[in-house]
Amino acid sequence: MRSQLLCAGFFALQAFAASWTSTPFNPPSIPLAVRTPYLNTWLPQGQGVALNDAWPSFWAGQITAWSGFVKVDGKSYSFLGAPVVDGSPFDKATQKSFTFTSTQSIFVLSAGPVDVTVTFLSPVEATDLVKQSIPLSYMHVSVASTDGASHSVQVYSDISGEWVSGATEWDIQWSTTTTDILSHQISLVSPAKYEEVNDHSQYGTWYYSILNSKGATAQIGRDVVVRGQFLNNSVLSTVKDNNFRAISDSWPVFGLAKDLGKVGSTAAAVTYAIGHIRDPAIKYVLAGNVKQERSLYFWSKFSTAQQLISFFLNDYNTALATANALDKKVQTDAGKISPDYAGIVELSIRQSLTANELTISKNAFGQWNTSDVLYFMKEISSDGNTNTVDVMFPASPIFLYLNPKLGEYLLEPLYRYQASGLYPNKWSVHDMGAHYPKADGHNDGTDEAMPVEESGNMLIMALSFARATNDLTQIRRYQKLLDQWTQYLIEDSLIPAFQLSTDDFAGQLANQTNLAIKGIIGIRCMAEISKLLGDNKKYTNYSSIAADYVTQWQTLSASKTGPHLTLAYNNDASWGLAYNLFSDVHLGLKLFPQSVYDEQTAWYKTVANKYGVPLDTRHTYTKSDWEIWTSAIVTDTSLRDLFISSIKGYLSSGLNNQAFPDWYDTITGVAEGFRARPVSGGHLALLLV
Ligand SMILES: *[C@@H]1O[C@H](CO)[C@@H](O)[C@H](O)[C@H]1NC(C)=O
Ligand SMILES: *[C@@H]1O[C@H](CO)[C@@H](O)[C@H](O)[C@H]1NC(C)=O
Ligand SMILES: *[C@@H]1O[C@H](CO)[C@@H](O)[C@H](O)[C@H]1NC(C)=O
Ligand SMILES: *[C@@H]1O[C@H](CO)[C@@H](O)[C@H](O)[C@H]1NC(C)=O
């Protein structure tokens, strides 16, 4: 039944173009509740799907049923999801508009004589570690009369057990808390700590809540029973369904209703909070191979989930004001480049930050240690690793723009681990653990090897964040490691051995021109780091090594047949996006001569396809993050704008329905396998130069 409905939705999207306005444009998928790797629900679009045309879904595709009805003078309308309730007829509200910003997705639907405005707010609180670590999102439902008269209005919404696991055969249990909040709690009967099923967390508790104010009611039960109860009676029943069962066994749903009373042209509203709390959140390896359990930062301020949810619900107006201010700042900053660019950035921000979680530990006395902040990132979609260095690197512009301290918190777990001596290789590790939320390290040294890539990335990020925070503590503490990686780059970056770069889907290759750029910039970054730390001898030495390598590299990397850099030395017909030059520009190093930039600018213009410039000559696909990085170094604004408009064209083509897939084909405009990845933070690169 469920899947049939979903299919109907997908067939429909081939057949019609949206009848509502979409601002700034209609993206492949709309972020609804997107705050953590697990609170990650979207509304897939294709050519356009209204909020009440289909079920919302998890980034990986599984349905996370979320329904909503409004009753107006006794007449029922659905505004969210695709519920079917035999015997209780309702109309579908008509979607009039959709708008997205950096923090919000806002839908306006008309339901008879009222307009229903549904605002999905996933806060971005980059400088408030307590708020940024709260794993909750808002749905704010606001109703106002459009015909001058007052109307009796009740609002209803529920979630299903599908939010709780990645497979529907698992048994779930539930309860409802009634204090100053009305809050449903749903968890697995047999949870598995630190495990995932189809990328959903397999432990912790889901919460769906509203304030317990006048006219608020709650009910748990079979989908058609709870929804039918509201549709028939406008209020939920106190009848309890305590028959704990599988997610798909008579589909239990968790409903919350609110009687808004008589509503005129002044809006009346109800705010829902949805989220998932697991504790501990992360397992992290310490020196001596001891495993530490780490918790989300907000626990330093709240001692129960109920306290947290109550705070969060009461904080809505403040959260909205903060969100509106950030939205405006992004629109102003990115709008200086172009409106298309602003739209790309706005679509990227929630997606990038949702991959990350801020953690703290307890000290020996059992007290939270807020000086011990580690930030963890899930490599969503590509392989689920924890703190993948070559995913943090493309994402890094978002931290540099919003709060560079977050970048240091993200590097810290990698530094500590490698300073502990547990990792055996002389180059930088690829990631902190093979699967999130475990950060177990790779004590056998058999992590996915990207030696030049990751060593270069660490050095570039070390310098970028130290400069942006104006704080040398971290580079001073880990200068030995940074120097160790520099020695490796001095050995292997000018003539990079047969190896992977971050674009591992394209395969291994020797002598990669773009990889050599990264390695050489890495060496130069260590020169800058040494200067900051007062070691001028090292600064001079490493600067001159980097400069000498650039001279040699110019001969090695130039195509003899075309005026462009090669993809790999000695392959004159090959070329690629030399996006690693971005760090030379961003950090003001002026390491590579202007002629390289001019030549590449002229070249890319001749090889652009309908939806952008291919990543390299091996395939017609590209990466949106690397296109934006490249657009930030070309010397001609019309080429910069061509990159931007190609990506905007791809996003708004109606050909795709996944969360901003960064990997796609430049000829067909169809997405490849990646979706919802944190590298979308790299789309902010143009805001840094
Ligand atoms: C709602 O009313 C319809 C029509 O009378 C009935 O078939 C259905 O069982 C009712 N649902 C509930 C949950 O009471
Ligand atoms: C808190 O964490 C910091 C950073 O890891 C550490 O240096 C400090 O000793 C810790 N404090 C206590 C009281 O454990
Ligand atoms: C890499 O390039 C160098 C310099 O041109 C060359 O000597 C070497 O054979 C190349 N390596 C491979 C594997 O092609
Ligand atoms: C410069 O650095 C290289 C690589 O670490 C080292 O071998 C060399 O001795 C250094 N030269 C000086 C003059 O310090």
Side-chain angles (χ1 to χ4, degrees):
M1 185 70 163
R2 275 290 162 63
S3 53
Q4 272 169 11
L5 279 171
L6 187 71
C7 286
F10 278 125
F11 286 125
L13 72 85
Q14 311 284 345
F16 76 100
S19 57
W20 53 87
T21 58
S22 290
T23 311
F25 57 82
N26 205 54
S29 192
I30 296 172
L32 297 182
V34 174
R35 279 214 92 183
T36 78
Y38 306 118
L39 179 61
N40 212 303
T41 277
W42 301 72
L43 186 66
Q45 288 297 297
Q47 291 181 27
V49 170
L51 186 60
N52 54 1
D53 271 344
W55 289 116
S57 60
F58 189 56
W59 70 261
Q62 307 95 317
I63 291 173
T64 40
W66 198 357
S67 82
F69 293 109
V70 59
K71 290 192 74 165
V72 184
D73 299 330
K75 192 165 164 24
S76 305
Y77 302 85
S78 69
F79 68 83
L80 169 61
V84 173
V85 192
D86 290 336
S88 304
F90 59 85
D91 284 348
K92 278 168 70 177
T94 306
Q95 185 163 315
K96 291 162 69 173
S97 69
F98 158 65
T99 305
F100 71 85
T101 68
S102 300
T103 59
Q104 299 164 67
S105 297
I106 305 159
F107 300 80
V108 180
L109 302 94
S110 80
V114 304
D115 271 0
V116 182
T117 302
V118 190
T119 302
F120 294 88
L121 167 59
S122 291
V124 170
E125 300 270 5
T127 54
D128 182 326
L129 303 191
V130 172
K131 288 189 174 178
Q132 184 59 28
S133 70
I134 296 176
L136 303 170
S137 254
Y138 296 105
M139 176 176 73
H140 182 260
V141 184
S142 164
V143 181
S145 169
T146 53
D147 68 355
S150 287
H151 303 279
S152 165
V153 175
Q154 296 81 37
V155 175
Y156 166 89
S157 176
D158 68 54
I159 60 166
S160 75
E162 287 157 300
W163 291 69
V164 182
S165 174
T168 58
E169 68 269 23
W170 291 89
D171 285 337
I172 51 173
Q173 57 191 7
W174 53 76
S175 61
T176 304
T177 298
T178 309
T179 52
D180 62 321
I181 56 172
L182 262 185
S183 179
H184 294 304
Q185 293 133 55
I186 316 122
S187 58
L188 287 159
V189 170
S190 307
K193 194 156 77 167
Y194 302 123
E195 297 303 322
E196 293 184 339
V197 168
N198 295 323
D199 281 291
H200 281 258
S201 174
Q202 195 67 357
Y203 72 112
T205 303
W206 282 88
Y207 295 87
Y208 197 40
S209 318
I210 57 177
L211 287 174
N212 190 14
S213 54
K214 187 163 168 281
T217 52
Q219 188 180 349
I220 297 172
R222 182 176 187 165
D223 54 356
V224 290
V225 170
V226 179
R227 291 168 189 161
Q229 165 68 31
F230 175 78
L231 294 170
N232 290 2
N233 307 297
S234 313
V235 63
L236 293 174
S237 145
T238 52
V239 171
K240 283 197 164 50
D241 178 344
N242 279 333
N243 173 25
F244 299 152
R245 55 188 186 268
I247 291 163
S248 58
D249 181 355
S250 299
W251 302 101
V253 301
F254 306 87
L256 294 166
K258 168 82 178 176
D259 187 349
L260 296 179
K262 283 278 183 195
V263 177
S265 55
T266 305
V270 53
T271 306
Y272 290 81
I274 183 153
H276 174 246
I277 300 178
R278 62 187 208 287
D279 190 55
I282 297 279
K283 181 168 62 146
Y284 176 63
V285 60
L286 301 178
N289 210 25
V290 174
K291 303 291 158 53
Q292 181 187 50
E293 307 214 298
R294 301 185 62 87
S295 299
L296 296 181
Y297 194 102
F298 75 79
W299 287 114
S300 60
K301 280 283 185 301
F302 300 96
S303 50
T304 65
Q306 278 68 35
Q307 267 179 22
L308 174 74
I309 293 165
S310 170
F311 165 80
F312 187 75
L313 282 169
N314 283 299
D315 196 48
Y316 179 74
N317 287 336
T318 308
L320 183 64
T322 306
N324 286 337
L326 177 69
D327 291 348
K328 196 158 166 245
K329 175 175 156 52
V330 171
Q331 276 158 7
T332 305
D333 293 348
K336 284 181 194 145
I337 309 266
S338 69
D340 280 356
Y341 181 60
I344 293 168
V345 170
E346 290 175 288
L347 188 61
S348 300
I349 287 181
R350 277 169 290 177
Q351 170 167 326
S352 184
L353 291 178
T354 196
N356 309 291
E357 297 186 291
L358 273 162
T359 70
I360 48 175
S361 62
K362 277 187 172 153
N363 67 22
F365 314 103
Q367 296 154 330
W368 297 113
N369 184 352
T370 50
S371 311
D372 181 28
V373 184
L374 298 182
Y375 202 26
F376 289 93
M377 173 186 280
K378 178 173 176 179
E379 188 187 338
I380 290 180
S381 169
S382 29
D383 65 9
N385 292 170
T386 304
N387 288 39
T388 307
V389 177
D390 65 287
V391 172
M392 289 162 42
F393 179 70
S396 60
I398 196 170
F399 305 115
L400 290 164
Y401 179 72
L402 291 176
N403 178 8
K405 203 72 203 160
L406 293 176
E408 295 190 347
Y409 295 143
L410 202 52
L411 296 183
E412 185 67 20
L414 291 142
Y415 280 132
R416 277 195 206 170
Y417 171 59
Q418 290 170 97
S420 76
L422 288 167
Y423 183 66
N425 299 323
K426 59 186 174 181
W427 53 80
S428 161
V429 72
H430 170 269
D431 62 76
M432 266 316 302
H435 215 98
Y436 203 83
K438 295 176 223 171
D440 288 333
H442 293 279
N443 298 352
D444 61 1
T446 59
D447 50 308
E448 185 177 8
M450 296 185 185
V452 171
E453 174 75 47
E454 309 303 27
S455 301
N457 289 338
M458 287 301 289
L459 285 155
I460 295 167
M461 287 192 284
L463 179 63
S464 306
F465 293 133
R467 277 193 186 172
T469 57
N470 206 14
D471 182 349
L472 308 184
T473 313
Q474 196 175 49
I475 53 171
R476 181 171 292 123
R477 183 175 296 144
Y478 299 111
Q479 58 183 304
K480 220 179 116 205
L481 267 178
L482 292 165
D483 204 27
Q484 174 189 319
W485 297 328
T486 306
Q487 300 316 309
Y488 176 71
L489 291 179
I490 290 171
E491 285 164 32
D492 202 57
S493 66
L494 180 60
I495 310 283
F498 184 74
Q499 63 190 279
L500 292 175
S501 77
T502 181
D503 305 310
D504 53 0
F505 45 85
Q508 293 183 311
L509 191 64
N511 281 331
Q512 295 182 59
T513 295
N514 191 41
L515 197 53
I517 295 172
K518 175 164 292 169
I520 298 168
I521 292 177
I523 298 166
R524 175 59 192 271
C525 284
M526 191 61 200
E528 298 292 330
I529 289 168
S530 304
K531 187 156 97 179
L532 287 172
L533 297 177
D535 189 338
N536 285 318
K537 225 178 106 218
K538 251 188 198 162
Y539 168 74
T540 310
N541 189 16
Y542 292 162
S543 296
S544 81
I545 293 173
D548 170 51
Y549 280 11
V550 169
T551 308
Q552 295 185 57
W553 170 91
Q554 277 186 266
T555 311
L556 290 164
S557 64
S559 164
K560 291 181 201 67
T561 53
H564 57 79
L565 298 173
T566 54
L567 167 66
Y569 304 163
N570 310 315
N571 183 351
D572 291 324
S574 71
W575 53 265
L577 293 178
Y579 53 80
N580 283 327
L581 288 168
F582 173 75
S583 305
D584 187 36
V585 174
H586 165 231
L587 293 169
L589 303 175
K590 296 197 162 40
L591 189 51
F592 290 83
Q594 187 57 40
S595 58
V596 170
Y597 293 94
D598 293 338
E599 192 179 85
Q600 290 303 100
T601 300
W603 177 251
Y604 292 135
K605 284 186 185 171
T606 68
V607 288
N609 291 325
K610 180 169 181 197
Y611 293 108
V613 177
L615 184 61
D616 59 54
T617 30
R618 288 173 288 182
H619 303 91
T620 55
Y621 58 57
T622 193
K623 293 280 276 68
S624 56
D625 49 348
W626 299 142
E627 286 190 291
I628 295 285
W629 282 47
T630 309
S631 82
I633 57 163
V634 298
T635 54
D636 173 341
T637 26
S638 72
L639 177 60
R640 179 198 74 187
D641 294 342
L642 177 73
F643 275 110
I644 293 167
S645 63
S646 306
I647 295 171
K648 152 76 190 310
Y650 152 66
L651 289 172
S652 58
S653 66
L655 293 166
N656 303 291
N657 57 19
Q658 309 95 340
F660 200 155
D662 51 295
W663 180 26
Y664 69 93
D665 193 274
T666 57
I667 293 173
T668 64
V670 172
E672 304 276 349
F674 296 168
R675 60 200 61 181
R677 298 205 321 146
V679 303
S680 62
H683 300 141
L684 279 68
L686 277 161
L687 300 176
L688 305 181
V689 294

